[in-house]
Amino acid sequence: MPPDQGFCARSEAIVNQSTSRPVVHPGPRAAHLGAAALLALGAGLGSAALFDPDEPVYAQAGLEMLRRGEWLAPFYGGQPWFDKPVLFYALEAASQAVLGPTETAARLPSALAAAALAGLLAWGGRRWYGPGTGGWAAWISLTAVYSAVVARAAVTDSVLTLFLAAALLGFGELLAGRIRIGFPLACLGLALATLTKGPVAPALLALQVAAYAGAARTWAPLRNRAAWLAGLAGVGLAAPWYAYMEWRFPGHFLDAFLGQQNLVRFLQPEHAGRPLAYYLPRLPLMFLPWTLFVPLWLRRTGSTPAGGSFRPGAYLWTWVAVVTVFFSLSATKLPTYVLPAIPALALLLAQRLGRAGGFARRAAWVAGGVTAVALAAGATLLAPRLVCYYSAASIAPELRRIPAAEPLFVFRGGLPGTLYYAGRRNEPLDDPDEVRLALRGEGPCWLVVRQRHASKLTAELAALQRVAAPSGPWGNGLLLYHKPAKAAP
């Protein structure tokens, strides 16, 4: 072939190759992502009191860890606390050591975890799908409504989602043959997730690798030595803390944590009336506004493989399926359980947005921006008004005036916020008969009732003295009553 013809043939091949690949448009840049993070995660972070029943528990346990100088064993109300592993409580203690015992300090670990997750997805999207995808993945992660709402709460779910996503991306790297980055990411992510939530982390990762092997119709993921070694190393890094807790509290830790808090909750419902398909209608709502971009899910677009025979699309869809199915099979169901599915959905949609037309990309800019502003407005203006309904902070001044010798009862569930805001524990009563029995005593006592439950205690409350407490713009959520001591005959 003459030289000029060879040059033309090579040029034509290059042109055909470049035109066969879809054009990838740049996504949001660091400045845009930073602004979205400040609005969606940071604005009004501490404007509302900690909401019962979960936030005050984590904040109080972290505060006790700080005051006791006890960084390995969580305590709550002066007693060993086996509800969750140590890591999130340690983050709560560290945050309150810097900012003091405030609402902002209690919620900061979750907000920082959500911001770090956006950075992780930006890296993962670029690495798996090429330039342009990473920015969109971070943008979606920051502005998915439920992810941002949970990131503003002093609960473990945002931190768990960060570490679990790191582990899952790391295992994906290992399956793609990239050990240098994949091994430490998978190992550390798994260890930190196990120290945040417990054995659910290695269980989900094992199921994910198996599910992906089934989706890819190959045994190769199950024979991947690096993945096996990373899994064993991750569990091995977390194991010493579990061994320490069992050594320090023999016969109590394993039974309370692994038994009651994990196995029993998986097999027996903690909240009745939640069907098997509980998450199917809720996951699309959690992913708003991005669920509205359904047409992009239905379009077939070009995809850049992450490496070798690894199929990132199949890996991410099995990630979503494993998380959803696993927690659907659990007898105890909470909306936050399926939060770890959101990062995979963000990466899948980001891959399509990077190759979508101008209208879809402009709509994504508007959807994310409007959502971030709405979240900031809701946190600043709406959340503080809910304090009288969902937080013991609304009656904390009255609770502090109660003599320590007089018992405090709470009908239909305890209010952990009484310990955090008023420095005293309460005795939960779940049945009207229990309330009647508690009120028979000779001495004075106090009773807290949620307004929605007051109708179940009409006769009992009529014999008590109502204590005036501040009300919110929509009335009172918590009602405080006093039974004085009976007069001597």
Side-chain angles (χ1 to χ4, degrees):
M1 180 182 297
D4 57 337
Q5 292 183 10
F7 174 79
C8 293
R10 288 193 299 272
S11 300
E12 184 178 358
I14 293 173
V15 170
N16 290 336
Q17 183 180 13
S18 63
T19 56
S20 64
R21 294 179 179 176
V23 177
V24 179
H25 302 279
R29 301 186 183 276
H32 306 135
L33 296 174
L38 288 175
L39 286 171
L41 306 178
L45 188 64
S47 61
L50 300 179
F51 293 146
D52 278 291
D54 294 322
E55 284 193 293
V57 172
Y58 293 108
Q60 178 66 25
L63 188 59
E64 292 190 29
M65 179 177 283
L66 178 63
R67 290 172 175 172
R68 295 169 63 95
E70 174 71 71
W71 292 86
L72 289 178
F75 282 78
Y76 178 78
Q79 301 297 319
W81 188 244
F82 304 138
D83 186 62
K84 296 292 186 297
V86 69
L87 183 55
F88 188 75
Y89 300 118
L91 294 175
E92 286 286 303
S95 181
Q96 294 182 80
V98 176
L99 301 178
T102 64
E103 288 83 1
T104 299
R107 293 176 177 135
L108 187 60
S110 293
L112 292 179
L117 176 63
L120 178 68
L121 295 182
W123 170 84
R126 181 180 179 86
R127 189 167 179 85
W128 285 16
Y129 288 117
T133 302
W136 285 119
W139 182 255
I140 295 168
S141 175
L142 289 171
T143 56
V145 171
Y146 198 68
S147 297
V149 170
V150 176
R152 292 174 165 276
V155 293
T156 61
D157 299 278
S158 289
V159 174
L160 172 67
T161 300
L162 167 65
F163 295 141
L164 201 55
L168 286 162
L169 287 174
F171 275 91
E173 289 284 299
L174 292 177
L175 298 181
R178 296 197 282 249
I179 299 177
R180 184 176 179 181
I181 294 179
F183 189 89
L185 189 62
C187 177
L188 291 176
L190 174 56
L192 294 173
T194 305
L195 289 173
T196 301
K197 194 79 171 183
V200 67
L204 285 173
L205 285 164
L207 291 172
Q208 164 62 17
V209 174
Y212 172 68
R217 299 181 180 181
T218 175
W219 292 100
L222 299 177
R223 297 196 299 263
N224 191 298
R225 293 183 180 179
W228 278 99
L229 289 175
L232 293 174
V235 173
L237 286 175
W241 178 80
Y242 289 87
Y244 165 78
M245 290 293 289
E246 179 59 21
W247 168 79
R248 183 168 176 181
F249 306 102
H252 297 284
F253 172 71
L254 290 180
D255 180 65
F257 177 72
L258 295 180
Q260 183 65 35
Q261 297 298 329
N262 285 272
L263 184 60
V264 172
R265 292 185 69 178
F266 189 87
L267 298 176
Q268 298 179 8
E270 191 174 86
H271 311 93
R274 298 189 174 177
L276 182 66
Y278 177 79
Y279 294 111
L280 291 182
R282 286 168 174 79
L283 189 57
L285 295 176
M286 295 177 189
F287 199 50
L288 286 173
W290 303 107
T291 312
L292 303 177
F293 287 71
V294 171
L296 287 181
W297 299 107
L298 303 178
R299 290 180 56 187
R300 292 186 61 85
T301 59
S303 174
T304 303
S309 60
F310 179 62
R311 296 163 52 192
Y315 186 82
L316 292 172
W317 278 118
T318 53
W319 177 347
V320 176
V322 164
V323 171
T324 306
V325 172
F326 180 85
F327 289 111
S328 295
L329 294 176
S330 173
T332 299
K333 298 178 178 66
L334 290 174
T336 54
Y337 285 177
V338 291
L339 190 67
I342 299 295
L345 292 173
L347 286 168
L348 287 164
L349 180 57
Q351 186 265 337
R352 288 160 173 77
L353 275 175
R355 293 162 172 79
F359 175 79
R361 285 182 283 113
R362 286 192 294 272
W365 275 107
V366 173
V370 170
T371 303
V373 172
L375 288 166
T380 306
L381 303 176
L382 178 61
R385 295 171 175 261
L386 299 175
V387 65
C388 288
Y389 293 87
Y390 301 107
S391 177
S394 61
I395 56 173
E398 290 74 21
L399 295 176
R400 294 191 191 102
R401 290 193 284 267
I402 298 177
E406 299 181 8
L408 172 66
F409 301 103
V410 176
F411 179 61
R412 289 292 169 91
L415 289 170
T418 61
L419 181 59
Y420 186 78
Y421 284 109
R424 63 173 297 147
R425 301 192 69 165
N426 62 69
E427 300 179 39
L429 305 174
D430 295 325
D431 188 86
D433 291 336
E434 294 180 342
V435 175
R436 286 189 284 271
L437 183 62
L439 296 178
R440 287 178 183 174
E442 297 291 332
C445 65
W446 301 75
L447 178 66
V448 178
V449 183
R450 292 194 184 276
Q451 189 175 34
R452 66 176 184 268
H453 296 150
S455 61
K456 299 177 176 63
L457 298 174
T458 304
E460 291 78 9
L461 298 181
L464 304 178
Q465 298 176 358
R466 170 79 182 277
V467 178
S471 62
W474 303 297
N476 298 288
L478 297 176
L479 308 177
L480 180 62
Y481 291 87
H482 178 223
K483 183 186 83 70
K486 292 183 179 180

